[in-house]
Structure formats: structure tokens, C-alpha cells
Amino acid sequence: MLKVDFGMQEVNHFHIGIGVYENRIIMELMNYKDLDCSGNVFYARGLQRKNFKRFHFAVKILHLPARIAYNTHLKIFPVYMHQICRRKSDIYLYLNHKLPRTKFDGKVVTTIHDLIPLKTEVESAAVRKTFLSYVQDAVSRSDTILTVSDYSRNDIAAYFHIPHNRIHVIPDGVDFAEFNNPVDRVQLESVREKYRLPEKFILYFGSARKHKNVGSILKAYARIPQALRTNVHLVITNGNEPLKKMAEELGIRPFVRFVGRVENADKAAFYQLADLKIFVSLYEGFGIPVLEAMAAGTPVVASNVSALPEVCGDAALLVDPADIDQIAEAMAKVLTDAGLRRDLINKGIKNAQKYTWARSAGKLHDLLVGECPGRADK
């Protein structure tokens, strides 16, 4: 059997970003009978052993603190990973871009989801510097690199001057049934009341990071006809004070509802209550929220840049994220053109069905077996 060791440092963040990817891929891979799986996680505050009981293999909590294990300012430790884990594996698989500062006696597979901190404006120069150090280390010490889209694959190859055949695309997935199954009316109204959602609304669901371009959504919303704004409000999750101030300055604050963190159990209801999902990021390595909205039967307006056209296909109305008027026109058109809405909803559902975690994990399984031919059947 092929011995695979999972680095599981992000696995506790199973509701957001990279943590979702890491959790879902590992959960699917552990079902393959030709893989002998194990996992490891370096100690961090708040780490709880019970969080790993859902995995059907041994997960070791290593005593070395994570802040030391992943400190790229330190030299490579004079010890092999298998010595720390007390198990020698054929492949050491990391579904994020951070490698521990150990030596490896086996194949190393690392995942670089995107280059957002290097290609867009970020909140801090320190964020960019830290991210670059991690990714440069991963590129230099990995036998194989995974990413989530063809766009990211091309970006990584060009930025780090590495051949495309070192990089393999294992896409994100979406839990189609979770978002597509109709939420019953009682629960929908409970979610509406819980978050004080308007009767009809455009939804931005995501973070307020600069590359998400949420300010442009507010500016575009201010330009749609006033009668439409009165009838259809705007809901923004994870809003911050600068965005709230912008809404005040644009004169649209009464029509904008800012909500905090949305519980994972309420996400499907959020999408199904919305009349439109807006996602006009300046850069995305993939864009899971557009697939979640499509699965829920919510029409999508998305950016025509980075990986979003690849992920959306013809199932979204694509716009230039730098063109405020174009964003405003697209929102108004989807809200008022019943034929366009039906077309986007139908195409969106079909598009979301193509992206499953099982399919992505199957592709990765075949890649791992190919990395060590002959091992999986021994």
C-alpha cells in the first residue's frame, strides 16, 4: 500500500478557505483502500484531540509548537519528518502552502491555492513578505505542487519560473446537495429574522479583504435606479467600519444591511433567500462562493478576471471589476430580466454539479499513485 502522511495544520479551520479544502480532500482520500493514511499536526493553542476523531486513521499531535515548526527564518532542522512522526511514509502531502522546517525522506506534495498576497493590494506588507517566504520554501522543497485552477497554475509557473508539469490542478468542490436542497420555509424565516435580512436583497457573501473589491459593490449599488434600491436591498457579510462609512457617504446606508459572521448551518438559507449573488473580486484562485450560490439556485454576477471565468463558465454574468457602471448595469439587468435570471439559474445548477470533492480527491488519488508507481498494490 502507498503510505501517505497528511500535514493537517489547517484542519481545525474546517469552515473557511484552505481549511475546507484540506478537510474535504482528506476525508475523501481516507476512503481509498490502497492508501495507508496517517496525519500529523504541530501543537498550537486551542488544539483539541477530539477534533480529529472524524478521521479513520491515526493523527499524531506533535509536541513541537507550530510557530517554531513553520518558522521560515529558521534553518532546516537536522531531523527527518519521519523521525518526528515515528513513521516513514512514501508521500508527505500538504494541502496548504506551509512546509515544516524538517528534512523529508520521501516525496513532498504541497498546495499553493493562489498568489493573492503577491498579485493584489493586501492589508500589510508583512503579510506579503511572510506569504512569499512560505511559498518560495514550498516551491524549492516540493517534488509536486498542487493548485486549484488552470489560472493559478499558469500564475505560479510564471511567477516562480517553474515548469508547468510540476504543477497539477485539483479543483475545489461544493457540497451540491447541502445548498441545492430547498430549506423549509420555517427555517428560512428563522434565518431571515436571526440576521434581520430584508425581504429582497443582493448578497455579497465573503470577507472584506481588499482584493474582494467590496467598495466597488457599494458604489455600483448606489448607481442602480432608486426605485430598484428601494425594493431590493444589499446585504454584506463581514463588513467593516470603512465600508459602513462609505455606504453613509454614498447615501445608501438605509438600503444596506451589514451582518457579521454567518454560521455555517445558515449558509444555504442565506443563498436561497438572496435574489442575486455578487462576487466581483480583483483576483481569485478559484471562488467557492460562486459555486455555492449556483448550487442554491441563485443567479450570479462575477468578475471577468483571474480564475472566475474558468469556474463560472457561461453560468454567470461576467463584468469588469474595475468598471462601476458595468457592475451596476449587470445587477439591475439580472434583477429585472426574468428570462436572463432563469437562464443563469439553470446554467448555474448544472455548472455547480461538475465540481465535487469526490471527483477532485479521485484525481489527486491517481496523481499520488503515479508519484510512486508500484507502491499502491504492495
Side-chain angles (χ1 to χ4, degrees), residues 230-353:
T230 301
N231 187 43
V232 184
H233 290 194
L234 175 63
V235 172
I236 293 177
T237 64
N238 304 303
N240 54 31
E241 289 306 315
L243 291 173
K244 293 175 183 178
K245 183 179 179 181
M246 180 184 289
E248 292 279 4
E249 293 171 347
L250 290 167
I252 58 173
R253 188 66 182 88
F255 309 105
V256 182
R257 171 81 178 109
F258 290 96
V259 301
R261 180 182 174 276
V262 177
E263 293 182 24
N264 204 55
D266 297 332
K267 283 179 69 176
F270 245 80
Y271 284 119
Q272 291 184 25
L273 285 167
D275 293 88
L276 167 66
K277 162 70 177 175
I278 181 81
F279 201 71
V280 289
S281 301
L282 300 172
Y283 184 108
E284 291 288 342
F286 190 83
I288 290 179
V290 298
L291 292 182
E292 292 175 339
M294 289 176 182
T298 305
V300 174
V301 170
S303 296
N304 64 2
V305 300
S306 64
L308 287 169
E310 177 184 340
V311 174
C312 292
D314 65 350
L317 189 57
L318 301 179
V319 296
D320 180 350
D323 189 329
I324 305 300
D325 285 332
Q326 192 176 133
I327 298 170
E329 290 169 7
M331 288 194 295
K333 188 172 183 180
V334 174
L335 291 172
T336 58
D337 187 332
L340 174 62
R341 285 181 61 78
R342 283 194 301 272
D343 187 50
L344 291 176
I345 290 169
N346 292 334
K347 288 180 177 178
I349 289 172
K350 291 179 181 178
N351 187 56
Q353 288 175 312

Side-chain angles (χ1 to χ4, degrees), residues 6-30 39-41 47 52 54-55 57 59 70 93-98 109 111 113 148 170-173 288 357 361 364:
F6 299 117
M8 303 175 70
Q9 208 63 38
E10 298 295 326
V11 84
N12 278 330
H13 308 293
F14 46 82
H15 293 321
I16 55 174
I18 293 174
V20 172
Y21 186 88
E22 185 170 290
N23 271 276
R24 295 311 308 270
I25 293 293
I26 292 175
M27 292 291 285
E28 294 288 344
L29 283 179
M30 73 180 182
N40 69 78
V41 58
L47 200 63
F52 301 96
R54 63 187 182 278
F55 299 105
F57 53 81
V59 179
Y70 293 97
L93 175 61
Y94 294 85
L95 294 165
N96 60 75
H97 57 269
K98 298 178 182 179
V109 179
T111 309
H113 289 249
V148 293
I170 307 296
D172 283 287
I288 290 179
W357 292 113
L364 179 53

Side-chain angles (χ1 to χ4, degrees), residues 35-226:
L35 301 184
D36 178 8
C37 301
S38 65
N40 69 78
V41 58
F42 291 95
Y43 178 77
R45 184 177 297 177
L47 200 63
Q48 297 184 34
R49 187 172 296 278
K50 66 180 182 180
N51 290 339
F52 301 96
K53 289 184 177 179
R54 63 187 182 278
F55 299 105
H56 303 160
F57 53 81
V59 179
K60 297 183 179 69
I61 297 179
L62 308 176
H63 295 297
L64 183 66
R67 59 185 173 81
I68 295 176
Y70 293 97
N71 189 337
T72 54
H73 295 296
L74 300 177
K75 293 182 179 180
I76 300 296
F77 305 145
V79 63
Y80 284 94
M81 192 65 193
H82 74 263
Q83 293 172 317
I84 297 176
C85 296
R86 297 183 181 180
R87 167 186 148 120
K88 190 172 182 179
S89 293
D90 301 306
I91 294 177
Y92 296 87
L93 175 61
Y94 294 85
L95 294 165
N96 60 75
H97 57 269
K98 298 178 182 179
L99 286 178
R101 305 299 289 169
T102 63
K103 296 194 289 184
F104 291 95
D105 186 9
K107 297 277 187 178
V108 178
V109 179
T110 312
T111 309
I112 304 171
H113 289 249
D114 54 59
L115 299 182
I116 287 172
L118 306 181
K119 303 297 291 287
T120 68
E121 183 183 5
V122 290
E123 289 70 18
S124 162
V127 170
R128 179 181 286 109
K129 183 178 180 181
T130 300
F131 177 83
L132 180 59
S133 64
Y134 280 131
V135 176
Q136 284 177 324
D137 180 56
V139 168
S140 67
R141 295 201 289 141
S142 299
D143 296 284
T144 298
I145 295 167
L146 308 179
T147 193
V148 293
S149 65
D150 286 326
Y151 182 88
S152 283
R153 181 174 184 249
N154 294 333
D155 231 6
I156 294 164
Y159 196 96
F160 293 100
H161 307 289
I162 56 178
H164 281 71
N165 61 11
R166 278 190 63 196
I167 310 169
H168 298 266
V169 177
I170 307 296
D172 283 287
V174 64
D175 289 312
F176 182 82
E178 176 186 346
F179 293 97
N180 186 256
N181 289 341
V183 178
D184 69 71
R185 184 170 298 181
V186 173
Q187 187 178 347
L188 286 175
E189 291 310 312
S190 175
V191 170
R192 190 190 300 279
E193 183 177 349
K194 178 178 178 179
Y195 297 95
R196 295 190 291 118
L197 299 175
E199 188 64 29
K200 297 177 69 65
F201 62 93
I202 300 165
L203 174 64
Y204 168 73
F205 198 116
S207 75
R209 293 177 65 189
K210 291 183 179 179
H211 73 279
K212 296 295 187 179
N213 201 28
V214 184
S216 292
I217 295 175
L218 288 170
K219 292 174 184 176
Y221 181 71
R223 296 186 189 183
I224 69 174
Q226 185 172 349

